[in-house]
Amino acid sequence: MSHPTSGEPDGNAAYGHKPFKRSRSHFADRITADGRDGWPVEAGRYRLAVSRACPWASRSLVSRRLLGLEDALSLAVADPIQDDRSWRFTLDEGGRDPVLGIAYLSEAYEAREPGYLGGVSVPAIVDVPSGKLVTNDFQQITLDFATEWTALHRPGAPDLYPERLRDEIDEVMDGIYRDVNNGVYRAGFASNQEEYEAAYHDVFRRLDLVSERLKDQRYLVGDTLTEADIRLFTTLVRFDAVYHGHFKCNRSKLTEIPVLWAYARDLFQTPGFGDTVDFDHIKQHYYRVHTGINPTGIVPLGPDLSGWRTPHHREQLGGRPFGDGTPPE
């Protein structure tokens, strides 16, 4: 989730007043087993900066937990409320991240590229020894967790990006990214009726297709959890809390789409998914930061969250959540 830096004034108020465009990751170095970009996989060397409000960062939280990378890759959690310098570490004592020693994530961007004035986004991985940002490539980070960080996976870690299914996973994820993950933002930040309606129709057309796909199979691709499920989950879990009202994606609530609601509950109750979700951070961020579309900053009290723990009965479809592996502790 990107946010303008101080180089772009009125960042929060600008939401909803100009066409929405997802910015490309400016820093796309990869952390790999062979270190070919200069960043070898190494336990304890890097720190993952996230916001629990952000769906793109939440992918990395789910993946890190499912694969058991918590001890190898430490975590910096930003305040869900940003100021004009973007993500800040005001949740930590003294307002600084205890490992990186910085008050704002933008300081790691600046250390990497002095004078940088672009957006500051999470997830971001920072090299602890130098304090420099390594990557903010949200599309690639979790794929590399699954494929390049294998030496540091926990025993029993699932294969979230199995080689034989990658083409199908990529195809499914592409549609979900375009129409669902990004589609809700295009609807929410639309600056005219036509733009909004096009995005709205994309969101629900794709949700209907996905619902049809999941009617008779427990997971999106194959019979185990994959990266595709993680990417759909992080939007679904925010749907009723923010996207239905705040982003005007209001044809139906998630709770009114039977297959997807059962699927989302199944994932939420799977270790590694629901235990990484913070609904308070989610609501505080969207409703208080996006002053362009919610100028009062009032945060709604609903929805009722108790349904997330109710039986989903998806286990009747079979499927093996972790394949030959085991759940995280």
Side-chain angles (χ1 to χ4, degrees), residues 216-269:
D216 300 312
Q217 62 187 64
R218 192 170 178 186
Y219 303 111
L220 282 167
V221 182
D223 68 343
T224 64
L225 290 164
T226 68
E227 175 79 17
D229 298 294
I230 296 173
R231 295 189 182 196
L232 181 56
F233 172 78
T234 57
T235 296
L236 294 183
V237 81
R238 288 161 174 75
F239 204 87
D240 289 2
V242 287
Y243 301 146
H244 179 272
H246 184 57
F247 279 180
K248 306 181 186 69
C249 293
N250 63 352
R251 187 199 76 182
S252 353
K253 294 175 181 167
L254 176 65
T255 55
E256 296 164 347
I257 309 174
V259 170
L260 288 184
W261 175 223
Y263 166 79
R265 297 196 323 273
D266 185 6
L267 294 184
F268 187 86
Q269 294 168 34

Side-chain angles (χ1 to χ4, degrees), residues 67-313:
L67 298 173
L69 292 172
E70 292 105 324
D71 291 341
L73 179 66
S74 67
L75 191 64
V77 179
D79 192 315
I81 311 300
Q82 302 155 320
D83 63 18
D84 280 341
R85 287 186 60 185
S86 191
W87 300 108
R88 52 191 184 157
F89 296 110
T90 38
L91 300 178
D92 293 301
E93 195 175 338
R96 289 186 176 276
D97 178 76
V99 172
L100 298 171
I102 57 178
Y104 287 89
L105 181 56
S106 58
E107 294 171 59
Y109 281 68
E110 174 73 20
R112 170 67 186 273
E113 187 179 297
Y116 175 72
L117 290 175
V120 175
S121 65
V122 288
I125 300 183
V126 180
D127 177 48
V128 175
S130 68
K132 292 179 179 178
L133 178 81
V134 177
T135 177
N136 68 342
D137 189 347
F138 65 95
Q139 297 282 47
Q140 190 61 45
I141 284 173
T142 47
L143 297 180
D144 284 343
F145 284 173
T147 58
E148 297 287 340
W149 290 65
T150 49
L152 299 177
H153 287 182
R154 65 179 175 87
D159 185 353
L160 297 174
Y161 196 46
E163 204 155 348
R164 63 189 173 80
L165 296 175
R166 284 180 195 174
D167 287 347
E168 188 181 354
I169 291 171
D170 290 346
E171 185 184 351
V172 169
M173 291 193 306
D174 182 61
I176 287 170
Y177 169 74
R178 190 178 57 248
D179 297 336
V180 179
N181 302 147
N182 213 36
V184 293
Y185 279 86
R186 288 191 292 114
F189 293 150
S191 53
N192 63 60
Q193 188 71 25
E194 190 180 4
E195 218 176 272
Y196 158 72
E197 289 186 14
Y200 170 102
H201 289 306
D202 285 346
V203 168
F204 286 103
R205 179 179 57 83
R206 182 65 58 181
L207 288 181
D208 288 343
L209 288 170
V210 168
S211 188
E212 189 61 29
R213 183 183 184 93
L214 288 166
K215 195 172 62 177
D216 300 312
Q217 62 187 64
R218 192 170 178 186
Y219 303 111
L220 282 167
V221 182
D223 68 343
T224 64
L225 290 164
T226 68
E227 175 79 17
D229 298 294
I230 296 173
R231 295 189 182 196
L232 181 56
F233 172 78
T234 57
T235 296
L236 294 183
V237 81
R238 288 161 174 75
F239 204 87
D240 289 2
V242 287
Y243 301 146
H244 179 272
H246 184 57
F247 279 180
K248 306 181 186 69
C249 293
N250 63 352
R251 187 199 76 182
S252 353
K253 294 175 181 167
L254 176 65
T255 55
E256 296 164 347
I257 309 174
V259 170
L260 288 184
W261 175 223
Y263 166 79
R265 297 196 323 273
D266 185 6
L267 294 184
F268 187 86
Q269 294 168 34
T270 299
F273 285 85
D275 49 29
T276 66
V277 174
D278 189 318
F279 284 108
D280 182 58
H281 276 213
I282 290 167
K283 294 201 305 184
Q284 292 293 326
H285 171 78
Y286 282 90
Y287 289 105
R288 290 180 61 186
V289 171
H290 299 160
T291 54
I293 49 179
N294 188 38
T296 61
I298 291 171
V299 180
L301 293 176
D304 177 6
L305 301 172
S306 59
W308 282 100
R309 293 286 178 197
T310 58
H312 52 78
H313 306 299

Side-chain angles (χ1 to χ4, degrees), residues 4-33:
T5 64
S6 53
E8 300 174 62
D10 304 319
N12 294 343
Y15 290 120
H17 295 287
K18 57 185 181 182
F20 177 71
K21 188 169 183 292
R22 170 81 43 208
S23 53
R24 291 184 62 186
S25 300
H26 185 74
F27 301 96
D29 284 6
R30 293 174 60 190
I31 300 170
T32 55

